[in-house]
Amino acid sequence: MSTRANINIQFGESCIWLYSHYDGYLAFRGYDLISNLTHSKNAKEFLNRLLNQKEEPSLYRDGRHTYELTSEEHGDIEYLYTFIFTNYPDGSDVNLIVHQLEPFNRKERRLLLDTTIMGITPNEINEKCNLIVKEHSKMLGKQVA
């Protein structure tokens, strides 16, 4: 079973929806998103990084794109990641909101994270997205054991 996620990126008057079919969890997709954010200067660079990212080919998956453009929120997701870039057009600050959707009632959302990152730097992202970093560390610990 896949853990689907939507990523909503807002900057200025633009609102872009991306969809990810696999591994929507904080420990995986959330960590991938904040890692890409760390290496981006602004919203445009962040979006370009996501759109150009490809999955590693494996026995079960080909090397397709990790994120695909979509026109709206997907009807069957478990996680929703929203990035609201401010200081437009520079996009140096971002508000990150993460919701987990209930499995049998998609309208019921549990807020997991709502934080403002002032300047896209590794230290700021690590501090403000500590929940995601901890989930990723726990996942890595389980893989090592």
Side-chain angles (χ1 to χ4, degrees):
M1 190 76 170
S2 300
T3 307
R4 295 165 292 280
N6 263 133
I7 299 88
N8 180 245
I9 301 171
Q10 301 173 24
F11 55 98
E13 305 256 335
S14 300
C15 178
I16 297 165
W17 287 94
L18 301 176
Y19 173 74
S20 175
H21 192 71
Y22 297 101
D23 302 320
Y25 301 105
L26 292 175
F28 191 84
R29 187 63 52 222
Y31 190 78
D32 182 63
L33 289 166
I34 64 169
S35 295
N36 277 294
L37 183 64
T38 300
H39 297 286
S40 304
K41 291 183 235 169
N42 54 37
K44 182 178 178 184
E45 192 173 315
F46 178 61
L47 179 61
N48 283 333
R49 290 180 71 82
L50 297 181
L51 289 175
N52 290 312
Q53 184 173 321
K54 287 192 170 188
E55 297 285 341
E56 288 282 329
S58 73
L59 189 60
Y60 303 104
R61 301 179 195 160
D62 59 9
R64 65 178 166 226
H65 287 278
T66 305
Y67 303 96
E68 61 184 74
L69 281 169
T70 186
S71 59
E72 60 189 16
E73 184 177 317
H74 194 276
D76 189 22
I77 60 169
E78 292 160 79
Y79 289 88
L80 173 60
Y81 298 88
T82 303
F83 293 83
I84 304 168
F85 287 85
T86 56
N87 289 344
Y88 185 79
D90 172 57
S92 60
D93 299 341
V94 62
N95 186 24
L96 170 58
I97 304 165
V98 181
H99 286 99
Q100 182 176 17
L101 284 68
E102 294 301 320
F104 299 106
N105 181 0
R106 300 288 178 205
K107 293 182 185 199
E108 191 174 323
R109 297 167 187 233
R110 187 166 54 122
L111 181 65
L112 299 177
L113 183 66
D114 186 351
T115 188
T116 300
I117 300 163
M118 305 298 285
I120 303 171
T121 65
N123 288 339
E124 181 78 11
I125 290 172
N126 185 47
E127 177 188 326
K128 297 294 180 89
C129 301
N130 198 272
L131 171 68
I132 293 172
V133 173
K134 283 182 180 177
E135 287 297 313
H136 184 71
S137 296
K138 279 196 270 184
M139 179 190 72
L140 292 177
K142 288 179 185 175
Q143 289 180 350
V144 173

